[in-house]
Amino acid sequence: MKFNTKTIHGGQEHDKAYGAVMPPIYQTSTYAQSTPGGHQGYEYSRSGNPTRTALEKAFASIENGNYGLAFASGLAAIDAVIKLLKPGDEVVSTNDLYGGSFRLFTKIFQDFGIKFHFIGMADANNIENYINENTKLIWVETPTNPMMNIIDIEAAAKIAKKHQVMLGVDNTFATPYLQNPLDLGADIVMHSATKYLGGHSDVVMGALVVKDKDLADKLYFIQNASGAVCGPQDSFLVLRGIKTLHVRMQRHCENGKAVAEFLAKHPKVEKVYWPGFESHPNHDIAKKQMRDFGGMLSFTTKGNDYEQAIKMVENLKVFTLAESLGGVESLAGHPASMTHASIPREVREKTGVVDSLIRLSVGIEDVDDLIDDLNQALG
Ligand SMILES: *Cc1c(COP(=O)(O)O)cnc(C)c1O
């Protein structure tokens, strides 16, 4: 089955009870048993729910894996991955990580005796310098947020295999429409399904997909034992979102390219961060591992003025000033005052998050309206 068919049919079957074409929302916590232990595959909805199962099969299908697991949020999914580890274990991760993942690693799991290395991965070979006998996991995010850095997944996977450590990839920004980490040698692919998979900014959810049965069993044990599962209504919404992922992503990519090219030519814009430009430092790797360049980009304005950047995002009318990304509607954010406000200026500026940096999640509206809106707000 090809991707554009998998989004609609992957792992899906019609409801056995009445032939419903869409999976029913099994809004139930528990299931009747004919005799103790005599159930039809479900006994309690933390352990399993048919609507969630339908979604988990869809996750597995679109990411070319064998097993999918749905969680209450993207961070709950990452939390489950780190719970595979023990005190003394080490993780090598990127220095341009999603802020929430960084907070989870440093403020929660570090206190449980797990050691994290946050390193530059623009050259994936650098990973090898941080691997020792305690290393158990390499955690990669590509493209990164908000600087749109690209990490070579295949190169990271080679290093992971050589040293027998797991490779996990946060594929939230690219989605399986653009990039399939499991095919490139990753062991775990993770999503904040809140973003493009859900696609409509109406649900918070996380996903993991793996190929290996043993790893799937361990993660399922953690999912059930720790209990950060998503509800049936949310499962239904994300399943519905996935059905249009390919058409939405196609438009996100087209609009993202048009907006990136418009901004690059605008006299008030200093720099545009978008992996589709040949001038992007890892454009070749992006071209190798992604099928297109997505709808996420960041840019800075000349003079790098904090107040001016805030005024610009306030002046936007079609773009909404908001956290998050990946919905059908266009969103703009100002990392220095929003997502990265808690990071000291000297630290955030080192990774490129300067005062005038603005991040855009380019939606699927008419691109002329998006460009007009940016033009008036920059003016
Ligand atoms: C949003 C996001 C997360 C966290 O997901 P939640 O659903 O908000 O918990 C993790 N990684 C990336 C890249 C994200 O954008």
Side-chain angles (χ1 to χ4, degrees):
M1 218 186 263
K2 298 233 168 108
F3 185 77
N4 295 353
T5 310
K6 281 185 177 182
T7 53
I8 295 166
H9 297 291
Q12 303 306 299
E13 49 189 59
H14 298 151
D15 176 51
K16 287 193 190 77
Y18 297 107
V21 170
M22 290 301 132
I25 302 167
Y26 283 96
Q27 194 73 46
T28 186
S29 63
T30 190
Y31 307 81
Q33 306 191 8
S34 54
T35 178
H39 55 74
Q40 298 173 50
Y42 294 93
E43 50 189 340
Y44 187 59
S45 280
R46 170 161 38 71
S47 314
N49 173 285
T51 318
R52 196 177 93 212
T53 303
L55 173 67
E56 290 176 328
K57 288 186 171 165
F59 283 152
S61 170
I62 58 175
E63 276 292 8
N64 301 338
N66 297 320
Y67 306 93
L69 297 121
F71 291 86
S73 70
L75 284 174
I78 302 176
D79 176 270
V81 172
I82 305 302
K83 284 175 177 161
L84 292 164
L85 310 181
K86 291 194 194 62
D89 287 350
E90 298 191 12
V91 179
V92 182
S93 190
T94 155
N95 60 5
D96 186 25
L97 196 64
Y98 173 72
S101 310
F102 183 76
R103 181 177 57 193
L104 176 68
F105 293 171
T106 55
K107 302 278 192 212
I108 308 259
F109 283 111
Q110 212 155 265
D111 290 348
F112 285 76
I114 295 167
K115 189 169 173 190
F116 296 87
H117 303 268
F118 300 99
I119 67 160
M121 290 188 176
D123 176 3
N125 292 322
N126 190 30
I127 296 170
E128 203 153 23
N129 298 328
Y130 294 84
I131 291 187
N132 61 44
E133 71 277 6
N134 297 322
T135 311
K136 295 284 148 57
L137 175 71
I138 300 167
W139 189 256
V140 163
E141 197 184 303
T142 180
T144 64
N145 173 33
M147 298 316 299
M148 306 304 296
N149 289 319
I150 300 290
I151 297 166
D152 189 334
I153 298 172
E154 212 168 8
K158 279 207 184 99
I159 294 167
K161 292 255 156 17
K162 180 173 159 197
H163 296 276
Q164 294 182 313
V165 304
M166 282 185 297
L167 171 65
V169 177
D170 182 336
N171 203 28
T172 300
F173 269 39
T175 84
Y177 176 80
L178 296 177
Q179 167 176 292
N180 304 107
L182 297 180
D183 292 347
L184 299 169
D187 301 287
I188 303 172
V189 57
M190 171 265 157
H191 281 276
S192 169
T194 313
K195 317 293 169 52
Y196 286 106
L197 299 191
H200 297 75
S201 305
D202 52 9
V203 59
V204 172
M205 191 187 286
L208 297 177
V209 179
V210 302
K211 283 189 165 164
D212 182 69
K213 167 96 168 56
D214 254 13
L215 184 54
D217 288 347
K218 283 183 190 149
L219 288 168
Y220 172 71
F221 182 86
I222 294 167
Q223 182 196 40
N224 183 44
S226 287
V229 294
C230 52
Q233 176 88 35
D234 287 352
S235 300
F236 176 86
L237 284 173
V238 172
L239 197 51
R240 183 164 74 167
I242 289 173
K243 289 181 196 296
T244 55
L245 178 65
H246 53 297
V247 280
R248 285 186 287 110
M249 283 309 293
Q250 185 180 356
R251 185 63 66 82
H252 280 297
C253 291
E254 287 166 16
N255 286 1
K257 180 173 195 282
V259 167
E261 284 169 353
F262 160 76
L263 288 171
K265 283 196 217 106
H266 197 283
K268 289 200 174 153
V269 171
E270 175 80 38
K271 193 164 166 43
V272 182
Y273 297 89
W274 180 65
F277 287 132
E278 268 171 41
S279 58
H280 185 287
N282 274 345
H283 174 70
D284 288 345
I285 297 167
K287 252 174 64 180
K288 185 182 73 163
Q289 68 190 16
M290 299 169 75
R291 285 177 279 273
D292 204 336
F293 304 107
M296 294 301 302
L297 59 95
S298 297
F299 68 98
T300 56
T301 44
K302 290 200 174 125
N304 191 30
D305 189 77
Y306 188 91
E307 301 303 327
Q308 200 185 312
I310 292 197
K311 197 159 243 139
M312 141 120 218
V313 290
E314 283 173 354
N315 283 341
L316 288 165
K317 294 192 171 66
V318 181
F319 280 82
T320 302
L321 176 61
E323 310 269 3
S324 200
L325 61 111
V328 289
E329 70 293 323
S330 292
L331 300 179
H334 180 240
S337 66
M338 295 166 74
T339 44
H340 292 60
S342 62
I343 304 172
R345 176 190 298 247
E346 321 79 71
V347 180
R348 67 170 160 79
E349 287 197 337
K350 261 192 213 139
T351 59
V353 183
V354 298
D355 285 349
S356 74
L357 188 80
I358 291 167
R359 188 192 77 176
L360 301 180
S361 170
V362 180
I364 63 171
E365 300 95 336
D366 191 292
V367 74
D368 293 343
D369 289 329
L370 299 181
I371 287 173
D372 285 350
D373 192 31
L374 290 164
N375 203 25
Q376 66 80 19
L378 278 163

mmCIF file of all heavy atoms in Angstrom, residues 72-78 97-101 139 141 143-145 170-173 190-195 203-206 324-325 359, ligand 1:
data_model
loop_
_atom_site.group_PDB
_atom_site.id
_atom_site.type_symbol
_atom_site.label_atom_id
_atom_site.label_comp_id
_atom_site.label_asym_id
_atom_site.label_seq_id
_atom_site.Cartn_x
_atom_site.Cartn_y
_atom_site.Cartn_z
ATOM 1 N N ALA A 72 -1.139 10.181 26.016
ATOM 2 C CA ALA A 72 -1.935 11.374 26.319
ATOM 3 C C ALA A 72 -1.325 12.655 25.747
ATOM 4 O O ALA A 72 -2.016 13.650 25.589
ATOM 5 C CB ALA A 72 -2.111 11.503 27.831
ATOM 6 N N SER A 73 -0.025 12.644 25.444
ATOM 7 C CA SER A 73 0.639 13.807 24.837
ATOM 8 C C SER A 73 1.958 13.343 24.235
ATOM 9 O O SER A 73 2.417 12.223 24.526
ATOM 10 C CB SER A 73 0.897 14.898 25.885
ATOM 11 O OG SER A 73 1.900 14.481 26.788
ATOM 12 N N GLY A 74 2.575 14.222 23.473
ATOM 13 C CA GLY A 74 3.897 13.907 22.920
ATOM 14 C C GLY A 74 4.898 13.671 24.044
ATOM 15 O O GLY A 74 5.705 12.739 23.982
ATOM 16 N N LEU A 75 4.820 14.510 25.069
ATOM 17 C CA LEU A 75 5.770 14.358 26.172
ATOM 18 C C LEU A 75 5.534 13.062 26.936
ATOM 19 O O LEU A 75 6.486 12.439 27.417
ATOM 20 C CB LEU A 75 5.715 15.580 27.105
ATOM 21 C CG LEU A 75 6.416 16.802 26.506
ATOM 22 C CD1 LEU A 75 6.204 18.029 27.386
ATOM 23 C CD2 LEU A 75 7.912 16.544 26.324
ATOM 24 N N ALA A 76 4.285 12.628 27.043
ATOM 25 C CA ALA A 76 4.001 11.339 27.699
ATOM 26 C C ALA A 76 4.645 10.202 26.900
ATOM 27 O O ALA A 76 5.120 9.212 27.481
ATOM 28 C CB ALA A 76 2.499 11.123 27.831
ATOM 29 N N ALA A 77 4.688 10.341 25.579
ATOM 30 C CA ALA A 77 5.319 9.324 24.729
ATOM 31 C C ALA A 77 6.834 9.292 24.976
ATOM 32 O O ALA A 77 7.432 8.216 25.116
ATOM 33 C CB ALA A 77 5.017 9.599 23.258
ATOM 34 N N ILE A 78 7.461 10.471 25.061
ATOM 35 C CA ILE A 78 8.905 10.531 25.317
ATOM 36 C C ILE A 78 9.203 10.007 26.728
ATOM 37 O O ILE A 78 10.170 9.272 26.944
ATOM 38 C CB ILE A 78 9.448 11.973 25.152
ATOM 39 C CG1 ILE A 78 9.155 12.481 23.734
ATOM 40 C CG2 ILE A 78 10.950 12.027 25.427
ATOM 41 C CD1 ILE A 78 9.571 13.929 23.493
ATOM 42 N N LEU A 97 16.917 21.003 21.095
ATOM 43 C CA LEU A 97 15.805 20.082 21.345
ATOM 44 C C LEU A 97 14.536 20.871 21.667
ATOM 45 O O LEU A 97 14.614 21.970 22.224
ATOM 46 C CB LEU A 97 16.210 19.240 22.562
ATOM 47 C CG LEU A 97 15.467 17.962 22.876
ATOM 48 C CD1 LEU A 97 15.653 16.940 21.760
ATOM 49 C CD2 LEU A 97 16.000 17.373 24.185
ATOM 50 N N TYR A 98 13.369 20.294 21.371
ATOM 51 C CA TYR A 98 12.100 20.868 21.805
ATOM 52 C C TYR A 98 12.184 21.158 23.309
ATOM 53 O O TYR A 98 12.611 20.299 24.087
ATOM 54 C CB TYR A 98 10.969 19.887 21.500
ATOM 55 C CG TYR A 98 9.640 20.312 22.054
ATOM 56 C CD1 TYR A 98 8.939 21.381 21.488
ATOM 57 C CD2 TYR A 98 9.077 19.674 23.149
ATOM 58 C CE1 TYR A 98 7.723 21.782 21.999
ATOM 59 C CE2 TYR A 98 7.851 20.076 23.665
ATOM 60 C CZ TYR A 98 7.187 21.130 23.086
ATOM 61 O OH TYR A 98 5.980 21.528 23.603
ATOM 62 N N GLY A 99 11.792 22.367 23.712
ATOM 63 C CA GLY A 99 11.953 22.816 25.098
ATOM 64 C C GLY A 99 11.344 21.880 26.126
ATOM 65 O O GLY A 99 11.910 21.657 27.196
ATOM 66 N N GLY A 100 10.186 21.329 25.815
ATOM 67 C CA GLY A 100 9.507 20.420 26.744
ATOM 68 C C GLY A 100 10.283 19.125 26.940
ATOM 69 O O GLY A 100 10.303 18.558 28.048
ATOM 70 N N SER A 101 10.934 18.651 25.882
ATOM 71 C CA SER A 101 11.749 17.429 25.995
ATOM 72 C C SER A 101 12.965 17.729 26.867
ATOM 73 O O SER A 101 13.331 16.931 27.743
ATOM 74 C CB SER A 101 12.213 16.951 24.613
ATOM 75 O OG SER A 101 11.126 16.890 23.726
ATOM 76 N N TRP A 139 18.853 10.340 21.089
ATOM 77 C CA TRP A 139 17.537 10.962 20.861
ATOM 78 C C TRP A 139 17.696 12.158 19.928
ATOM 79 O O TRP A 139 18.363 13.130 20.251
ATOM 80 C CB TRP A 139 16.903 11.397 22.194
ATOM 81 C CG TRP A 139 15.476 11.827 22.006
ATOM 82 C CD1 TRP A 139 15.006 13.100 21.990
ATOM 83 C CD2 TRP A 139 14.342 10.981 21.779
ATOM 84 N NE1 TRP A 139 13.635 13.104 21.765
ATOM 85 C CE2 TRP A 139 13.217 11.815 21.633
ATOM 86 C CE3 TRP A 139 14.169 9.593 21.666
ATOM 87 C CZ2 TRP A 139 11.933 11.312 21.401
ATOM 88 C CZ3 TRP A 139 12.894 9.094 21.423
ATOM 89 C CH2 TRP A 139 11.802 9.947 21.306
ATOM 90 N N GLU A 141 16.000 14.936 16.954
ATOM 91 C CA GLU A 141 14.824 15.651 16.479
ATOM 92 C C GLU A 141 15.251 16.337 15.190
ATOM 93 O O GLU A 141 16.260 17.043 15.184
ATOM 94 C CB GLU A 141 14.486 16.685 17.548
ATOM 95 C CG GLU A 141 13.111 17.267 17.501
ATOM 96 C CD GLU A 141 12.980 18.349 18.576
ATOM 97 O OE1 GLU A 141 13.194 18.062 19.769
ATOM 98 O OE2 GLU A 141 12.685 19.485 18.209
ATOM 99 N N PRO A 143 13.434 18.085 11.336
ATOM 100 C CA PRO A 143 14.080 19.370 11.592
ATOM 101 C C PRO A 143 13.845 19.807 13.038
ATOM 102 O O PRO A 143 12.862 19.416 13.641
ATOM 103 C CB PRO A 143 13.387 20.342 10.629
ATOM 104 C CG PRO A 143 12.696 19.492 9.620
ATOM 105 C CD PRO A 143 12.386 18.209 10.293
ATOM 106 N N THR A 144 14.744 20.670 13.544
ATOM 107 C CA THR A 144 14.629 21.099 14.931
ATOM 108 C C THR A 144 13.813 22.385 15.041
ATOM 109 O O THR A 144 13.573 23.078 14.068
ATOM 110 C CB THR A 144 16.008 21.327 15.569
ATOM 111 O OG1 THR A 144 16.649 22.411 14.888
ATOM 112 C CG2 THR A 144 16.866 20.083 15.505
ATOM 113 N N ASN A 145 13.438 22.647 16.279
ATOM 114 C CA ASN A 145 12.545 23.742 16.611
ATOM 115 C C ASN A 145 13.278 24.771 17.470
ATOM 116 O O ASN A 145 13.783 24.371 18.510
ATOM 117 C CB ASN A 145 11.367 23.134 17.400
ATOM 118 C CG ASN A 145 10.435 24.155 17.953
ATOM 119 O OD1 ASN A 145 10.230 25.188 17.363
ATOM 120 N ND2 ASN A 145 9.890 23.872 19.109
ATOM 121 N N ASP A 170 12.298 12.043 17.043
ATOM 122 C CA ASP A 170 11.078 12.852 17.146
ATOM 123 C C ASP A 170 10.766 13.356 15.742
ATOM 124 O O ASP A 170 11.451 14.224 15.212
ATOM 125 C CB ASP A 170 11.335 14.002 18.131
ATOM 126 C CG ASP A 170 10.104 14.878 18.353
ATOM 127 O OD1 ASP A 170 9.230 14.902 17.465
ATOM 128 O OD2 ASP A 170 10.041 15.551 19.399
ATOM 129 N N ASN A 171 9.720 12.784 15.142
ATOM 130 C CA ASN A 171 9.399 13.071 13.735
ATOM 131 C C ASN A 171 8.231 14.044 13.601
ATOM 132 O O ASN A 171 7.567 14.084 12.568
ATOM 133 C CB ASN A 171 9.071 11.741 13.023
ATOM 134 C CG ASN A 171 9.274 11.795 11.522
ATOM 135 O OD1 ASN A 171 10.106 12.558 11.026
ATOM 136 N ND2 ASN A 171 8.525 10.990 10.781
ATOM 137 N N THR A 172 7.991 14.821 14.661
ATOM 138 C CA THR A 172 6.833 15.714 14.708
ATOM 139 C C THR A 172 6.816 16.716 13.556
ATOM 140 O O THR A 172 5.784 16.919 12.917
ATOM 141 C CB THR A 172 6.814 16.483 16.048
ATOM 142 O OG1 THR A 172 6.731 15.536 17.116
ATOM 143 C CG2 THR A 172 5.644 17.433 16.139
ATOM 144 N N PHE A 173 7.962 17.366 13.288
ATOM 145 C CA PHE A 173 7.988 18.422 12.269
ATOM 146 C C PHE A 173 7.856 17.866 10.854
ATOM 147 O O PHE A 173 7.213 18.473 10.013
ATOM 148 C CB PHE A 173 9.298 19.231 12.366
ATOM 149 C CG PHE A 173 9.214 20.426 13.277
ATOM 150 C CD1 PHE A 173 8.504 20.359 14.463
ATOM 151 C CD2 PHE A 173 9.851 21.617 12.956
ATOM 152 C CE1 PHE A 173 8.423 21.447 15.313
ATOM 153 C CE2 PHE A 173 9.774 22.725 13.793
ATOM 154 C CZ PHE A 173 9.062 22.641 14.967
ATOM 155 N N MET A 190 8.832 8.886 17.190
ATOM 156 C CA MET A 190 7.908 9.511 18.138
ATOM 157 C C MET A 190 7.237 10.706 17.466
ATOM 158 O O MET A 190 7.819 11.364 16.600
ATOM 159 C CB MET A 190 8.716 9.950 19.370
ATOM 160 C CG MET A 190 7.986 10.798 20.384
ATOM 161 S SD MET A 190 8.309 12.552 20.053
ATOM 162 C CE MET A 190 6.892 13.301 20.827
ATOM 163 N N HIS A 191 5.980 10.977 17.867
ATOM 164 C CA HIS A 191 5.255 12.151 17.376
ATOM 165 C C HIS A 191 4.538 12.865 18.489
ATOM 166 O O HIS A 191 3.944 12.222 19.355
ATOM 167 C CB HIS A 191 4.162 11.741 16.372
ATOM 168 C CG HIS A 191 4.687 11.458 15.016
ATOM 169 N ND1 HIS A 191 4.911 12.456 14.106
ATOM 170 C CD2 HIS A 191 5.055 10.307 14.430
ATOM 171 C CE1 HIS A 191 5.396 11.921 12.997
ATOM 172 N NE2 HIS A 191 5.502 10.619 13.177
ATOM 173 N N SER A 192 4.555 14.180 18.433
ATOM 174 C CA SER A 192 3.503 14.929 19.099
ATOM 175 C C SER A 192 2.372 14.950 18.078
ATOM 176 O O SER A 192 2.386 15.747 17.137
ATOM 177 C CB SER A 192 3.954 16.348 19.437
ATOM 178 O OG SER A 192 2.819 17.084 19.844
ATOM 179 N N ALA A 193 1.398 14.048 18.253
ATOM 180 C CA ALA A 193 0.264 13.964 17.317
ATOM 181 C C ALA A 193 -0.646 15.183 17.451
ATOM 182 O O ALA A 193 -1.536 15.399 16.626
ATOM 183 C CB ALA A 193 -0.528 12.678 17.559
ATOM 184 N N THR A 194 -0.373 15.985 18.482
ATOM 185 C CA THR A 194 -1.018 17.286 18.663
ATOM 186 C C THR A 194 -0.840 18.159 17.421
ATOM 187 O O THR A 194 -1.677 19.006 17.134
ATOM 188 C CB THR A 194 -0.334 18.016 19.851
ATOM 189 O OG1 THR A 194 -0.216 17.115 20.940
ATOM 190 C CG2 THR A 194 -1.077 19.258 20.269
ATOM 191 N N LYS A 195 0.247 17.946 16.716
ATOM 192 C CA LYS A 195 0.642 18.840 15.634
ATOM 193 C C LYS A 195 0.077 18.343 14.298
ATOM 194 O O LYS A 195 -1.111 18.349 14.132
ATOM 195 C CB LYS A 195 2.169 18.969 15.624
ATOM 196 C CG LYS A 195 2.792 19.142 17.026
ATOM 197 C CD LYS A 195 2.446 20.456 17.696
ATOM 198 C CE LYS A 195 2.832 20.521 19.182
ATOM 199 N NZ LYS A 195 4.212 20.179 19.496
ATOM 200 N N VAL A 203 -6.638 18.763 19.673
ATOM 201 C CA VAL A 203 -6.384 17.619 20.542
ATOM 202 C C VAL A 203 -4.895 17.562 20.902
ATOM 203 O O VAL A 203 -4.048 17.985 20.103
ATOM 204 C CB VAL A 203 -6.872 16.310 19.856
ATOM 205 C CG1 VAL A 203 -6.194 16.080 18.536
ATOM 206 C CG2 VAL A 203 -6.689 15.099 20.736
ATOM 207 N N VAL A 204 -4.587 17.092 22.110
ATOM 208 C CA VAL A 204 -3.201 16.891 22.546
ATOM 209 C C VAL A 204 -2.963 15.380 22.617
ATOM 210 O O VAL A 204 -3.733 14.666 23.268
ATOM 211 C CB VAL A 204 -2.965 17.546 23.934
ATOM 212 C CG1 VAL A 204 -1.588 17.171 24.480
ATOM 213 C CG2 VAL A 204 -3.106 19.054 23.840
ATOM 214 N N MET A 205 -1.929 14.902 21.921
ATOM 215 C CA MET A 205 -1.682 13.453 21.905
ATOM 216 C C MET A 205 -0.254 13.124 21.479
ATOM 217 O O MET A 205 0.393 13.914 20.790
ATOM 218 C CB MET A 205 -2.647 12.760 20.947
ATOM 219 C CG MET A 205 -2.614 11.248 21.109
ATOM 220 S SD MET A 205 -3.580 10.401 19.890
ATOM 221 C CE MET A 205 -5.210 10.750 20.480
ATOM 222 N N GLY A 206 0.218 11.954 21.892
ATOM 223 C CA GLY A 206 1.547 11.504 21.495
ATOM 224 C C GLY A 206 1.512 10.117 20.887
ATOM 225 O O GLY A 206 0.550 9.365 21.089
ATOM 226 N N SER A 324 2.329 26.200 19.560
ATOM 227 C CA SER A 324 1.957 25.013 18.783
ATOM 228 C C SER A 324 2.131 25.230 17.282
ATOM 229 O O SER A 324 2.592 26.309 16.831
ATOM 230 C CB SER A 324 0.539 24.542 19.099
ATOM 231 O OG SER A 324 0.388 23.189 18.710
ATOM 232 N N LEU A 325 1.804 24.216 16.518
ATOM 233 C CA LEU A 325 2.084 24.189 15.081
ATOM 234 C C LEU A 325 1.345 23.021 14.447
ATOM 235 O O LEU A 325 0.766 22.195 15.151
ATOM 236 C CB LEU A 325 3.604 23.999 14.866
ATOM 237 C CG LEU A 325 4.190 22.707 15.438
ATOM 238 C CD1 LEU A 325 4.617 21.743 14.339
ATOM 239 C CD2 LEU A 325 5.390 22.994 16.316
ATOM 240 N N ARG A 359 8.852 32.471 14.442
ATOM 241 C CA ARG A 359 8.624 31.147 13.865
ATOM 242 C C ARG A 359 7.229 31.083 13.269
ATOM 243 O O ARG A 359 6.268 31.550 13.885
ATOM 244 C CB ARG A 359 8.760 30.070 14.948
ATOM 245 C CG ARG A 359 8.732 28.662 14.364
ATOM 246 C CD ARG A 359 8.585 27.608 15.427
ATOM 247 N NE ARG A 359 7.210 27.517 15.905
ATOM 248 C CZ ARG A 359 6.784 26.621 16.794
ATOM 249 N NH1 ARG A 359 7.635 25.774 17.320
ATOM 250 N NH2 ARG A 359 5.526 26.592 17.177
HETATM 251 C C1 LIG B 1 4.927 19.799 20.696
HETATM 252 C C2 LIG B 1 6.129 18.977 20.566
HETATM 253 C C3 LIG B 1 6.444 17.982 21.518
HETATM 254 C C4 LIG B 1 5.594 17.749 22.742
HETATM 255 O O1 LIG B 1 4.332 17.255 22.418
HETATM 256 P P1 LIG B 1 3.019 17.539 23.301
HETATM 257 O O2 LIG B 1 1.946 16.866 22.523
HETATM 258 O O3 LIG B 1 2.870 19.027 23.406
HETATM 259 O O4 LIG B 1 3.268 16.912 24.627
HETATM 260 C C5 LIG B 1 7.581 17.227 21.317
HETATM 261 N N1 LIG B 1 8.388 17.433 20.253
HETATM 262 C C6 LIG B 1 8.131 18.381 19.336
HETATM 263 C C7 LIG B 1 9.065 18.561 18.186
HETATM 264 C C8 LIG B 1 7.006 19.188 19.457
HETATM 265 O O5 LIG B 1 6.762 20.140 18.545
#
